[in-house]
Structure formats: structure tokens, C-alpha cells
Amino acid sequence: MAAGYKNESQPDTNEKIILAARTEFADHGYDGARVDRIAVSAGVNKAMIYYHFNSKRNLYLAVIKNHFEVIKTYALKDVDPETSLENILRILASTFVDMSSRITSFKPIILRELANPNREVLKEIVAAFTESRLPELLGHSLSIEVQKGNVRPMDVRQMIASFITMNIGYLLLAPLINRVLVIDDRETFIQERREAVVDIFLNGIRTR
Amino acid sequence: MAAGYKNESQPDTNEKIILAARTEFADHGYDGARVDRIAVSAGVNKAMIYYHFNSKRNLYLAVIKNHFEVIKTYALKDVDPETSLENILRILASTFVDMSSRITSFKPIILRELANPNREVLKEIVAAFTESRLPELLGHSLSIEVQKGNVRPMDVRQMIASFITMNIGYLLLAPLINRVLVIDDRETFIQERREAVVDIFLNGIRTR
DNA sequence: TATTGTTAACCAACTGGTTAGTTTAACCTT
DNA sequence: AAGGTTAAACTAACCAGTTGGTTAACAATA
């Protein structure tokens, strides 16, 4: 009766646990998450969690590390650094939108982590950003355009902060904004958003 | 010996509890918050918390309700609806910045609430936004400028979403952005941000 | 003026359920 | 033989909520 023993090998206990833990932590937060529940939904004995991860905290960190590896898969590695600013912006906007729908269970984890920034985890997030070379790429392109006179002289960090928040900020605040602005067709709105943010931002910084 | 009974009326147990609870919930989240700890830091017996609020959940909701009343104090009620769009934007940007520094303990609570949107609480937040007449005022002003031909025709909701996220998004994501963009003097950056967001947004939507 | 009753505010100590983490003894596969 | 796995029982701490009472203030009664 007991579910097959045998190392039939794949689904890989380790991964099953991380997957179950991810949704548990996303749904309930660290303190609200229950190790027993993770064990059940992973179809694994609780002892296995401690065998593989030693502690709840450790499992939590493993979930986060694992997720960043996933994220790096969708990263913007192969953006031609010589491409136009407009192209970079378009790619970024699309990447944010695409990513957000693929990492739904990560969003709540990040939001909670932002609530009480924890050195360890924050470092990981910052590293992911840095490794993506997004700020570097964007900052570089913006500086050049300023020199060329195509973009008005202005603190480049303010520009980057604006573009990032227009994108990520919406993805995080969506449940709120969608209600306040009475947005019914969220899918359409988010798709149109890709063009809107590039449009507004680009015109916002361009020389008139 | 026992600390004076008598209704010597002020410090008001009720308020002391809410104040202590606010920081406890902000620091640890709902599940991480400890009623015992709230009692100690409020300098009150735990039973009093149940006497006054019945349950942890109830206390949590009381903290949120109380905070919205505080927020409405700083609200934008007296913005002249006939003032220019630029003025409205300036006022909004300033209000967001000012507010954020006064409601520090509310920020983490909101972030966590966004992580797992809860009907009851979300409704409260949306109501606060609506009551502030911010979206209405901004939407109205934008529509008029579009009609006048001063602002390019575009989904007004996309514009509002952009402006709100540039402002609130930054305040929420600050711990992250400040590190990614290596912003040392945060105070200066946030002050300069008030002008930057209005500048970028306004130019972004204006007819060329 | 004492006496009694009532009530809101308060408290120390307890209860009972929960939970992270452990242990044991066995089983399976390589 | 070893590493992965299971079910189940266990523990020690923890924690939301309760209990059974105390205290001060006030008002009605006598």
C-alpha cells in the first residue's frame, strides 16, 4: 500500500520538497508556513525534509536560491549592447511582463522580503539584478544618449529608477492598481502596458 | 503597590496596545507577531489585549483601520480641482514622499498584505485611495489635457498607473533600488525624485 | 454616613492545542 | 554495506486564548 519505495529515481525528492515549499512559503510566509504541510504536499515524509535541508530556515533559503537560478534562465544575457535605447527598453519591458507570469509564487516571497529586508536575501536579489547587467546596460545606453544630446541631461539613476518602478512596480502593485483604476481585462492591460511604459518613459527623457 | 488603578485617564490602554501592535506586526508580520510581546512592549497585561480586542486577528484589523485614519489626515483633500496638471502632479509627488516617512511601520504591513491580498484589507486600501479622490482628480485633469491637445491621446489608466508606480513603487522598492543603483545619499535622492518623476512623466505624456 | 451592589479595568497563572525538530526501527535499491 | 526512504511516536518549547479572581470608582440604599 505504501507508495512505492525504490529509487524510481527521478521526480527527485529534493526538488519535490523545494517545489512544495515554494508554494507553502508563498501562500503563508515564513512564519505561517508549516513543515508538516510541506511534507504532505511534497508526498514525502517530514523526516526527509530535515534529512535534506536540516532546518526550516535552510529550506527557505534553498527555495530562494533555487528560484534565482530559474530567473537567471530568463535573463537578458543576450541583449546586444550596441542595440538602440528603444530596443533595450522594449526588451526589458517584455522581460518583466513575461517573467512575472512565470514566477507567480516568487512574487509574494519577494514582497515579504521587502517588508523586512534581510541582508542575506537582499544580497541575493541585488546580485541577481547586477548579474543580469540590466542596470549597467541601461545606464550605459542612457549616458551615451545624453552625450549625443538625444536625452536631456538628468541624473541617470533617476531615469533608471523610474523605468524600473514603472515596470516592476506595476507588477507588484497590480492587485491594488487594478481595483483603484477599475481594470477588468487585466491581461489586455498588462500587454498594452509594455508599449505604454516605453512610450511614456522615452518621451519623458528625450530632448524636445 | 500595583501600579495605580483608577481611570487616571490618559495614556489610554487601548492606544498603547495599538501602538505596540503596529510595530510588532510591522516587524514580524501577522504570523510572526507574538501577542505576549505586544503586551510587554505596551506595558499591559496580555489579558487586556483580549479584553479590548477579543482576538489577535481583530487587533490586527484595528491596527490597520487606525492607520488609515491617520493617513486620511495627510490626505489631499484640499487640492483645488481647477489647478494645473503640473501642480496636481507636484502635490501628489510631495504627498507620497512626505507620507512615506511618517508611516514607516505601515509600509511593511502593506507589502505583506500585497503578497497575499486579503479581500477585507484590500478593500480598505482601495477605499482610502478612492476617498482621497486622487485617481478621480488626476484622471479628470488628464482627460481635459488630452481634449485640449496638450497631452497625447493614450489610455488614461496607463498614465495614472505609470505615475503612481513611479512614486509609490520607488518608496516600496527603495531598499532594493538603492542598492542596485548604489545610492548613498538616500535623503537627497528621494528629494530630487519629487522633481524627476514629475519631469519625466509630464514630458512623457505631452504632445511634442 | 456607613453599607451594599455594580461595573470597567486590570492581572497572574493556567490550559490545551500546535509545531519545529528528533528518534527509532524497519525497508528498498544499488 | 550504504544511502535513501518510510511511518510513527516523541519532546520540548511555544503561544493564542481563558479563568478566576482583584481593585477602584460610583451610585443607590438605608
Side-chain angles (χ1 to χ4, degrees):
Chain A
M1 181 164 299
Y5 280 96
K6 59 206 166 258
N7 222 345
E8 55 176 21
S9 35
Q10 264 25 33
D12 193 35
T13 307
N14 215 291
E15 201 167 328
K16 282 196 296 185
I17 295 174
I18 287 206
L19 233 79
R22 180 188 298 167
T23 44
E24 177 73 10
F25 285 125
D27 291 349
H28 304 280
Y30 182 82
D31 289 298
R34 296 291 167 250
V35 176
D36 289 275
R37 217 151 41 193
I38 294 173
V40 169
S41 87
V44 145
N45 189 275
K46 182 161 74 143
M48 272 295 98
I49 291 178
Y50 288 92
Y51 177 75
H52 285 284
F53 298 95
N54 293 312
S55 71
K56 185 187 182 182
R57 175 83 191 156
N58 233 43
L59 172 57
Y60 178 69
L61 294 177
V63 166
I64 290 183
K65 284 213 167 122
N66 167 279
H67 225 306
F68 277 117
E69 279 162 28
V70 174
I71 285 177
K72 283 171 192 163
T73 311
Y74 313 130
L76 347 141
K77 39 188 179 252
D78 32 40
V79 175
D80 176 7
E82 297 307 317
T83 193
S84 70
L85 174 60
E86 183 167 350
N87 256 337
I88 292 177
L89 296 177
R90 277 192 207 291
I91 292 170
L92 288 182
S94 285
T95 306
F96 286 135
V97 171
D98 292 351
M99 229 163 64
S100 107
S101 64
R102 295 195 211 189
I103 58 169
T104 47
S105 59
F106 201 41
K107 223 161 55 180
I109 294 177
I110 291 289
L111 277 167
R112 270 192 258 257
E113 213 52 60
L114 282 172
N116 297 76
N118 166 280
R119 294 214 160 284
E120 207 172 345
V121 178
L122 210 60
K123 232 175 212 166
E124 199 92 28
I125 307 181
V126 172
F129 257 97
T130 310
E131 279 180 47
S132 77
R133 303 176 58 87
L134 180 166
E136 189 190 345
L137 194 70
L138 191 50
H140 184 67
S141 183
L142 284 169
S143 302
I144 288 180
E145 294 299 321
V146 169
Q147 276 170 31
K148 283 191 192 163
N150 297 329
V151 164
R152 292 180 294 129
M154 191 192 299
D155 186 342
V156 171
R157 298 172 309 169
Q158 293 285 1
M159 300 194 238
I160 299 178
S162 299
F163 189 69
I164 290 181
T165 53
M166 280 170 86
N167 283 281
I168 299 187
Y170 172 71
L171 297 175
L172 298 182
L173 294 173
L176 202 65
I177 293 180
N178 288 339
R179 284 182 194 234
V180 173
L181 301 185
V182 196
I183 292 162
D184 299 317
D185 189 349
R186 295 160 191 221
E187 198 40 47
T188 308
F189 190 78
I190 206 173
Q191 293 307 330
E192 289 174 356
R193 186 132 192 85
R194 284 196 288 202
E195 296 162 33
V197 292
V198 174
D199 178 7
I200 293 177
F201 178 74
L202 209 51
N203 279 289
I205 61 172
R206 268 213 289 242
T207 315
R208 297 190 80 81
Chain B
M1 180 163 299
Y5 278 95
K6 63 209 162 238
N7 224 344
E8 56 174 22
S9 37
Q10 262 26 30
D12 196 32
T13 307
N14 215 290
E15 201 168 328
K16 282 196 298 184
I17 295 174
I18 288 209
L19 233 80
R22 181 188 296 167
T23 45
E24 177 73 11
F25 285 125
D27 291 349
H28 304 279
Y30 182 81
D31 289 299
R34 296 293 165 248
V35 177
D36 289 273
R37 216 149 43 191
I38 294 173
V40 170
S41 87
V44 143
N45 189 278
K46 181 159 75 144
M48 279 332 287
I49 291 178
Y50 288 92
Y51 177 76
H52 285 285
F53 298 95
N54 294 311
S55 71
K56 186 186 183 184
R57 175 83 191 155
N58 233 45
L59 173 58
Y60 178 69
L61 294 177
V63 165
I64 291 183
K65 284 214 167 119
N66 169 278
H67 225 309
F68 277 117
E69 279 162 30
V70 175
I71 286 177
K72 282 171 192 161
T73 311
Y74 314 130
L76 348 142
K77 39 188 177 252
D78 32 40
V79 175
D80 176 7
E82 296 309 316
T83 194
S84 71
L85 174 60
E86 183 166 352
N87 257 335
I88 291 177
L89 296 177
R90 277 192 207 291
I91 292 170
L92 289 183
S94 285
T95 305
F96 286 135
V97 170
D98 292 350
M99 229 164 64
S100 107
S101 65
R102 296 197 210 188
I103 58 170
T104 48
S105 60
F106 201 40
K107 223 160 56 180
I109 294 178
I110 291 289
L111 278 166
R112 270 193 253 257
E113 212 53 58
L114 282 172
N116 296 77
N118 166 281
R119 294 215 162 282
E120 208 171 343
V121 179
L122 209 61
K123 233 175 211 164
E124 199 91 27
I125 307 180
V126 173
F129 256 98
T130 310
E131 279 180 46
S132 78
R133 303 176 59 87
L134 181 165
E136 190 190 343
L137 194 71
L138 191 50
H140 184 67
S141 182
L142 285 168
S143 301
I144 287 180
E145 294 300 318
V146 170
Q147 276 171 32
K148 284 190 192 162
N150 298 329
V151 165
R152 292 180 293 129
M154 189 192 299
D155 186 342
V156 171
R157 297 171 311 169
Q158 293 286 359
M159 299 194 238
I160 298 178
S162 298
F163 189 67
I164 290 181
T165 52
M166 280 170 84
N167 283 282
I168 298 187
Y170 171 71
L171 297 175
L172 298 182
L173 294 173
L176 201 65
I177 293 179
N178 288 339
R179 285 183 193 234
V180 172
L181 300 185
V182 196
I183 293 163
D184 299 318
D185 188 348
R186 295 161 191 220
E187 198 42 47
T188 308
F189 191 78
I190 206 172
Q191 293 307 330
E192 289 174 355
R193 185 133 193 84
R194 283 196 288 201
E195 294 163 33
V197 293
V198 174
D199 177 7
I200 294 178
F201 178 74
L202 210 50
N203 278 289
I205 61 172
R206 269 214 287 243
T207 314
R208 299 190 80 79

